[in-house]
Amino acid sequence: MSRADYCPNTPEEIREMLDRIGVDDIGDLFGVIPPELRARSFEIPPGKSELELMRHMEELADGNGPRTANFIGGGYYDHFIPAVVDHLAGRAEFYTSYTPYQA
C-alpha cells in the first residue's frame, strides 16, 4: 500500500510538514524505535467483512496474553455490533417523535 492510498496530502504538503518539524523523511520519525520492534506488516487479509476482520484482529491480540472478563454492566457478554449501528442510533429521526411539519 502506498502513502497515496490513505493520505490525502500531496507530496509538496508532506515535504512542507517534514521541513517544519525538521526531519528529512517520514522514516526518520520512527528512528527511536529499534528496527526489530517496528511493524513490518499487519498481515490483514484482503476482502474481509467487518466481523471477519474483528475476529482476525482478536486472534492476533490473543497472542498478547490472557483476556480478562469485563463485568461492568452486569449483563455484558462478548457479541458483535456493526459500526453502522452507532451511526444510525445517533440520528435524531430514530430517537425522537418530533417532526418538523408538526404544528
Side-chain angles (χ1 to χ4, degrees):
M1 177 182 292
S2 72
R3 187 176 312 122
D5 291 338
Y6 61 88
C7 186
N9 299 313
T10 66
E12 294 78 21
E13 291 170 327
I14 293 170
R15 179 79 259 144
E16 182 182 347
M17 287 186 276
L18 293 174
D19 289 343
R20 178 76 52 101
I21 61 174
V23 296
D24 294 324
D25 184 73
I26 291 176
D28 293 342
L29 299 173
F30 303 98
V32 297
I33 302 172
E36 65 272 11
L37 297 179
R38 295 180 195 166
R40 290 173 293 284
S41 170
F42 291 105
E43 299 174 12
I44 298 173
K48 296 286 184 189
S49 69
E50 182 181 359
L51 177 59
E52 291 169 327
L53 181 60
M54 290 290 294
R55 286 183 178 156
H56 175 74
M57 297 304 285
E58 286 173 356
E59 288 174 15
L60 293 176
D62 284 342
N64 292 333
R67 295 181 75 175
T68 57
N70 182 346
F71 295 105
I72 295 174
Y76 175 83
Y77 57 95
D78 288 336
H79 60 283
F80 176 75
I81 300 173
V84 71
V85 171
D86 283 338
H87 174 74
L88 290 174
R91 295 190 53 96
E93 62 265 30
F94 294 118
Y95 64 80
T96 180
S97 61
Y98 172 77
T99 54
Y101 52 83
Q102 288 179 334

